[in-house]
Structures are given as structure tokens and as C-alpha cells.
Amino acid sequence: MSEVLIYNLGGGQVLGRVSLGHAIRMLHRRVAAVREAVEGETFGPYQRPVSVELVRYVHTRWVYERTGRVPYSRAALLRRDRHRCGYCGAPATTMDHVVPRCQGGPTTWMNAVAACEACNSAKAGRTPLEAGMTLRSRPFEPVLADVYPHGRV
Ligand SMILES: [Zn+2]
């Protein structure tokens, strides 16, 4: 009755059940967020959860421990590239598909670089060669420590 379902990030996959107390501790440690709550009931500062959903970092570790691969995300890409544009080195806030999506380029670590807005819009739907732009470094698939150096998001 007081068990809480744990969902993976995205809410599609049930990973297991824990006690209400365990779920509250997960909320407190910010490794999970309330997904569904019991209407009008609270538990300390939290809504009383029926189910909780893992936050991104836990999701990432969960996938990493099972596959040895870091799931791609835009936020993790910006950390992999140290928030520097792959073309000019300026502070980067966007993600660029090296081979653009309109030419069939996938959204993967090996086809993604951090980019500043100016380079991203200058390059548009072209490859670096077509756009006359040079990548400062080759995209790579990171390990967990590359994108979560402090063990957190
Ligand atoms: Zn740039």
C-alpha cells in the first residue's frame, strides 16, 4: 500500500518499487522527482508520491553501468566540449550536427559538437567542408567522468 513505483527518466519504464520512506529519501537526495502524487496528501515538505521518476544523472549512470556508454544529451555534450565552440573556440550554447540532419546526420556523440550561435547559423545545413569551416577537435564518445566530472549533473 505504501510502496512507491520507480520510473526511469522519461517515465516509460518501471525499474522497481521501494518503500515510501525510501522514496522520500530519494526525493530528499534529489535523485528522483515526484511523478504522480496522492491528491492533497503531503509527507514533510513533499507531496506523498505514488510514483517517482529518476533524474537525469541517475538515469545516465543506470544506462552507463549496463551498457558502458554515456547516453547522448545536449547538456552532456556541452560539458564534453567544455562549453567551447568546436569551430571558433568561443563560448558555446548550442549543439551542431557535424553532418547536418537534413543530409541524414544522426544525433550521436560522433556527429555532434558544441557550437556558438554565430558558427551554428553560419554553417546551417552544410557539412564543415561545404561551409569552409574547420573542426578544432574530432568528436568523441565520452566516458562518464568526461561529462560528470563532479559526479553530478
Ligand atoms: Zn563559433
Short mmCIF file of all heavy atoms in Angstrom, two decimals, residues 85-91 114-120 133, ligand 1:
data_model
loop_
_atom_site.label_atom_id
_atom_site.label_comp_id
_atom_site.label_asym_id
_atom_site.label_seq_id
_atom_site.Cartn_x
_atom_site.Cartn_y
_atom_site.Cartn_z
N CYS A 85 33.02 26.43 -28.48
CA CYS A 85 32.59 26.17 -29.86
C CYS A 85 33.63 25.29 -30.57
O CYS A 85 34.83 25.59 -30.53
CB CYS A 85 32.41 27.49 -30.59
SG CYS A 85 31.98 27.29 -32.34
N GLY A 86 33.16 24.25 -31.23
CA GLY A 86 34.05 23.34 -31.95
C GLY A 86 34.69 23.95 -33.19
O GLY A 86 35.59 23.37 -33.77
N TYR A 87 34.21 25.14 -33.59
CA TYR A 87 34.74 25.77 -34.80
C TYR A 87 35.62 26.98 -34.49
O TYR A 87 36.64 27.19 -35.14
CB TYR A 87 33.58 26.18 -35.73
CG TYR A 87 32.77 24.99 -36.16
CD1 TYR A 87 31.54 24.70 -35.54
CD2 TYR A 87 33.23 24.11 -37.13
CE1 TYR A 87 30.81 23.58 -35.90
CE2 TYR A 87 32.51 22.98 -37.50
CZ TYR A 87 31.29 22.73 -36.88
OH TYR A 87 30.57 21.61 -37.23
N CYS A 88 35.21 27.80 -33.51
CA CYS A 88 35.98 29.03 -33.27
C CYS A 88 36.48 29.16 -31.82
O CYS A 88 37.27 30.06 -31.54
CB CYS A 88 35.13 30.26 -33.63
SG CYS A 88 33.85 30.62 -32.42
N GLY A 89 36.03 28.30 -30.92
CA GLY A 89 36.51 28.35 -29.54
C GLY A 89 35.78 29.33 -28.64
O GLY A 89 36.06 29.41 -27.44
N ALA A 90 34.83 30.06 -29.19
CA ALA A 90 34.04 30.99 -28.37
C ALA A 90 33.11 30.21 -27.43
O ALA A 90 32.89 29.01 -27.65
CB ALA A 90 33.21 31.91 -29.27
N PRO A 91 32.58 30.85 -26.40
CA PRO A 91 31.62 30.15 -25.53
C PRO A 91 30.45 29.58 -26.35
O PRO A 91 29.90 30.28 -27.21
CB PRO A 91 31.13 31.25 -24.58
CG PRO A 91 32.28 32.20 -24.52
CD PRO A 91 32.87 32.20 -25.91
N ALA A 114 29.72 21.00 -29.70
CA ALA A 114 29.20 22.25 -29.15
C ALA A 114 29.55 23.37 -30.13
O ALA A 114 30.60 23.33 -30.79
CB ALA A 114 29.82 22.52 -27.79
N ALA A 115 28.67 24.35 -30.26
CA ALA A 115 28.93 25.45 -31.20
C ALA A 115 28.35 26.75 -30.64
O ALA A 115 27.35 26.73 -29.91
CB ALA A 115 28.32 25.15 -32.56
N CYS A 116 28.99 27.86 -31.01
CA CYS A 116 28.40 29.16 -30.67
C CYS A 116 27.27 29.43 -31.68
O CYS A 116 27.21 28.81 -32.74
CB CYS A 116 29.45 30.26 -30.69
SG CYS A 116 30.08 30.67 -32.33
N GLU A 117 26.39 30.34 -31.33
CA GLU A 117 25.26 30.60 -32.21
C GLU A 117 25.70 31.10 -33.57
O GLU A 117 25.11 30.77 -34.60
CB GLU A 117 24.30 31.60 -31.56
CG GLU A 117 23.48 30.97 -30.45
CD GLU A 117 22.47 31.95 -29.86
OE1 GLU A 117 21.94 32.78 -30.62
OE2 GLU A 117 22.25 31.88 -28.64
N ALA A 118 26.76 31.93 -33.60
CA ALA A 118 27.22 32.51 -34.87
C ALA A 118 27.70 31.42 -35.82
O ALA A 118 27.31 31.38 -36.99
CB ALA A 118 28.33 33.53 -34.61
N CYS A 119 28.54 30.50 -35.31
CA CYS A 119 29.04 29.41 -36.16
C CYS A 119 27.89 28.49 -36.58
O CYS A 119 27.84 28.04 -37.73
CB CYS A 119 30.12 28.62 -35.45
SG CYS A 119 31.69 29.50 -35.31
N ASN A 120 27.00 28.22 -35.65
CA ASN A 120 25.91 27.31 -35.95
C ASN A 120 25.04 27.86 -37.07
O ASN A 120 24.71 27.14 -38.03
CB ASN A 120 25.07 27.06 -34.70
CG ASN A 120 24.37 25.70 -34.73
OD1 ASN A 120 24.09 25.16 -35.79
ND2 ASN A 120 24.08 25.16 -33.56
N MET A 133 34.47 25.45 -43.01
CA MET A 133 34.79 25.60 -41.58
C MET A 133 35.60 24.39 -41.12
O MET A 133 35.41 23.28 -41.60
CB MET A 133 33.50 25.74 -40.76
CG MET A 133 32.72 27.02 -41.11
SD MET A 133 31.01 26.99 -40.52
CE MET A 133 31.25 27.33 -38.79
ZN ZN B 1 31.93 29.50 -33.03
#
